[in-house]
């Protein structure tokens, strides 16, 4: 078979045997799947050798490029030593070292690490732990959750209770015990003369009104610090997190910081919460923590929470588990990722890089009549497209692919969340091809 015939066969086999995520499969009648053969740095290469700049880090997970030699070497070493062992009754060096290093990164405020394999499970764990904490401390009535309008914390049935994205939730509404949505501090909501911090104060006042009336039944507030990712890279002022922390303390409600997308340096600091000078009661990591190599998620929490479960009584313990909890390969990938942060001074390097990305996009798109709210938080840049036609997002995606660029807009919001290893040439490429794809999809 010729290579293109074998590609065509792979695509049709994929469409009949693989049910792809986040996809109306019928759309693939028009939009071909892309068979990726290999990756290198910020680039993906398909079976025909065509390349694509991975402008979204393969769904926000990749930090230091595809086929990164340092992470690869650490994993190969781990593969020959221990691929997996259960974490109940057993332990191993990678999980201990990773837990200690993450605790140290929080200044030991969040010194207890609980493991799972994906982000939604981390959300579920934090929600369960919070409710179980209140039960163990004699307040079983505190079992409801508050989240922000437009929040996204995963798509399993429990996580949907705190996810406010209609397209992910509506079909399953009968399964979900809904929580309360309070107003988002979205900086775009600023009225004339208002700053982003003013919007944050307004949103915090609404949160306070809710907590004042419902603290007795509320276990936790869950937020995506600084950027609400999946609802369209909604950015907000850190003042909201400071005020929310104060209100959670005052009303005895846990604060859960879902840093699955914004953690690991994405927002400009290792943890986004650092920019508000606060620590949550639970901090969730996944996506970038393994460098984009293996499924891994982590819930970090405090001594106070841990101690409420520490008892002779089994049922007061946190009995949640997953088969691959604390997988040594995934932990090793995370340790190699943390090594790169330390060795390459990534947070400082990214600061300069983020500035260049911002300049490149302002130059390429700043004056464009359709571009609204060009915004940036660390290594996330986004803008909204005014008056886009229905189907804009898929059209833009296709136009970008034709220009060797992988970007997947969310509705009318175009964003990039690239790997941290982009060079200056690649930054220029990203901005100029994005601008060209925008022109083509508006035409
Ligand atoms: C991606 C994401 C999740 C869910 O993680 P999965 O691994 O996809 O289940 C949860 N919260 C936020 C903020 C995310 O971006």
């Amino acid at each position: 078979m010729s290579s293109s015939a074998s590609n065509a066969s792979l695509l049709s086999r994929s469409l009949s045997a693989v049910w792809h995520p986040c996809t109306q499969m019928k759309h693939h009648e028009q939009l071909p799947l892309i068979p990726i053969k290999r990756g290198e740095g910020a680039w993906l290469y398909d079976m025909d050798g065509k390349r694509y700049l991975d402008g979204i880090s393969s769904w926000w997970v990749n930090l230091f490029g595809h086929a990164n030699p340092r992470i690869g070497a650490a994993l190969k070493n781990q593969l020959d030593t221990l691929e997996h062992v259960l974490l109940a009754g057993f332990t191993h060096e990678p999980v201990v070292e990773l837990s200690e290093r993450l605790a140290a990164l929080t200044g030991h405020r969040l010194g207890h690490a609980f493991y799972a394999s994906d982000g939604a499970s981390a959300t579920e764990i934090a929600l369960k732990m919070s409710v179980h904490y209140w039960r163990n401390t004699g307040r079983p009535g505190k079992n409801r959750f508050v989240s922000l309008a437009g929040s996204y914390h995963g798509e399993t049935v429990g996580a949907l209770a705190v996810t406010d994205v209609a397209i992910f939730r509506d079909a399953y509404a009968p399964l979900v015990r809904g929580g309360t949505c309070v107003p988002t501090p979205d900086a775009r909501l600023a009225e004339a003369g208002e700053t982003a911090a003013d919007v944050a104060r307004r949103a915090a006042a609404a949160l306070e009104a809710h907590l004042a009336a419902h603290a007795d039944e509320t276990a936790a507030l869950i937020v995506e610090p600084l950027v609400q990712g999946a609802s369209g890279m909604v950015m907000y002022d850190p003042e909201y997190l400071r005020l929310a922390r104060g209100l959670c303390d005052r009303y005895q409600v846990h604060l859960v910081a879902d840093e699955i997308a914004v953690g690991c340096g994405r927002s400009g600091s290792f943890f986004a919460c650092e920019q508000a000078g606060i620590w949550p009661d639970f901090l969730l990591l996944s996506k970038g923590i393994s460098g984009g190599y293996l499924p891994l998620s982590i819930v970090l929490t405090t001594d106070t929470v841990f101690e409420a479960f520490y008892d002779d009584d089994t049922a007061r313990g946190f009995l949640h588990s997953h088969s691959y909890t604390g997988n040594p390969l995934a932990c090793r990938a995370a340790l190699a990722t943390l090594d790169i942060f330390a060795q390459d001074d990534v947070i400082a390097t990214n600061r300069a890089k983020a500035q260049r990305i911002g300049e490149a996009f302002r130059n390429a798109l700043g004056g464009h009549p359709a571009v609204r709210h060009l915004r940036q938080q660390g290594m996330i840049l986004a803008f909204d497209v005014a008056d886009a036609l229905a189907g804009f997002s898929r059209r833009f995606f296709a136009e970008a692919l034709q220009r060797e660029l992988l970007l997947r807009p969310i509705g009318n919001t175009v964003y990039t969340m690239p790997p941290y290893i982009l060079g200056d040439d690649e930054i220029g490429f990203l901005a100029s091809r994005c601008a060209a794809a925008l022109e083509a999809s508006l035409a």
Side-chain angles (χ1 to χ4, degrees):
M1 252 194 297
S2 75
S3 101
S4 66
S6 82
N7 285 354
S9 138
L10 182 73
L11 298 185
S12 68
R13 280 161 53 209
S14 190
L15 289 177
S16 69
V18 182
W19 198 335
H20 292 266
C22 204
T23 298
Q24 168 50 268
M25 292 294 288
K26 192 165 194 294
H27 288 164
H28 280 306
E29 289 176 8
Q30 269 87 49
L31 192 68
L33 280 169
I34 301 156
I36 294 299
K37 179 151 187 177
R38 66 184 188 90
E40 188 181 335
W43 297 90
L44 294 165
Y45 295 86
D46 73 12
M47 310 274 275
D48 296 321
K50 200 174 165 214
R51 62 175 197 165
Y52 307 93
L53 184 73
D54 187 354
I56 57 167
S57 300
S58 287
W59 261 356
W60 321 351
V61 300
N62 189 288
L63 300 190
F64 299 116
H66 297 280
N68 182 289
R70 288 193 266 178
I71 302 175
L75 275 176
K76 285 170 198 159
N77 196 352
Q78 184 63 44
L79 261 179
D80 290 334
T81 313
L82 177 67
E83 81 300 328
H84 186 66
V85 64
L86 73 165
L87 198 63
F90 293 80
T91 193
H92 52 82
E93 203 239 313
V95 79
V96 173
E97 192 183 336
L98 180 57
S99 307
E100 289 177 349
R101 284 171 71 174
L102 290 171
L105 284 170
T106 69
H108 299 281
R109 288 167 185 87
L110 300 165
H112 305 272
F114 196 96
Y115 287 80
S117 315
D118 58 77
S121 297
T123 296
E124 304 248 351
I125 288 163
L127 300 182
K128 284 177 67 178
M129 253 185 202
S130 173
V131 166
H132 199 161
Y133 169 91
W134 293 117
R135 177 185 158 94
N136 280 355
T137 56
R139 304 182 70 182
K142 285 170 79 68
N143 58 39
R144 297 210 158 256
F145 305 111
V146 180
S147 57
L148 301 183
S151 56
Y152 180 94
H153 300 288
E155 294 166 50
T156 54
V157 171
L160 281 176
V162 289
T163 284
D164 181 37
V165 179
I167 194 146
F168 296 138
R169 197 178 62 184
D170 285 358
Y172 317 104
L175 306 181
V176 177
R177 179 172 177 261
T180 299
C181 260
V182 291
T184 166
D186 183 349
R188 293 172 301 180
L189 300 174
E191 284 159 17
E194 256 190 339
T195 63
D198 293 331
V199 181
R201 283 186 276 273
R202 235 186 319 122
L207 171 64
E208 169 148 37
H210 179 78
L211 293 182
H214 299 284
D216 285 348
E217 66 249 35
T218 304
L221 164 70
I222 182 167
V223 298
E224 295 159 83
L226 301 184
V227 185
Q228 297 182 274
S231 63
M233 300 302 154
V234 171
M235 298 185 186
Y236 64 87
D237 195 279
E239 178 71 1
Y240 186 78
L241 297 172
R242 280 189 286 274
L243 294 169
R245 175 71 275 180
L247 292 170
C248 286
D249 288 340
R250 171 139 31 109
Y251 291 100
Q252 295 190 10
V253 165
H254 287 137
L255 177 61
V256 182
D258 175 352
E259 298 222 7
I260 289 167
V262 294
C264 303
R266 186 55 75 179
S267 75
S269 43
F270 190 84
F271 299 113
C273 282
E274 293 172 63
Q275 294 183 50
I278 60 127
W279 292 103
D281 302 288
F282 299 91
L283 192 148
L284 318 184
L285 293 175
S286 189
K287 294 205 162 104
I289 187 63
S290 71
Y293 269 67
L294 285 160
L296 178 68
S297 65
I298 307 168
V299 178
L300 298 175
T301 191
T302 61
D303 290 344
T304 308
V305 170
F306 180 77
E307 280 155 17
F309 290 80
Y310 199 82
D311 199 271
D312 291 323
D313 179 2
T314 305
R316 284 175 65 92
F318 191 63
L319 304 184
H320 188 104
S321 63
H322 296 282
S323 311
Y324 283 97
T325 295
N327 174 256
L329 286 165
C331 292
R332 181 58 70 195
L335 288 168
T337 299
L338 293 183
D339 285 344
I340 296 175
F341 271 98
Q343 289 160 8
D344 295 4
D345 199 6
V346 168
I347 299 297
T349 315
N350 274 6
R351 210 165 289 143
K353 206 162 280 197
Q355 195 145 6
R356 289 201 291 281
I357 293 172
E359 279 160 19
F361 273 84
R362 280 191 296 278
N363 290 339
L365 284 163
H368 195 291
V371 171
R372 302 274 192 283
H373 299 294
L374 183 60
R375 55 193 182 274
Q376 188 178 13
Q377 178 70 54
M379 296 294 277
I380 308 173
L381 179 141
F383 59 88
D384 305 331
V385 177
D387 307 322
L389 301 173
F392 167 79
S393 145
R394 271 181 289 138
R395 175 123 193 247
F396 183 99
F397 172 66
E399 295 290 353
L401 282 179
Q402 283 186 24
R403 292 166 178 78
E404 303 182 313
L405 178 60
L406 165 50
L407 290 178
R408 280 170 55 108
I410 301 170
N412 293 352
T413 299
V414 177
Y415 73 92
T416 181
M417 203 156 159
Y420 301 166
I421 39 94
L422 285 194
D424 284 348
D425 288 354
E426 290 161 337
I427 291 172
F429 183 99
L430 174 62
S432 65
R433 298 290 168 101
C434 176
L438 178 66
E439 271 332 314
S441 32
L442 292 174

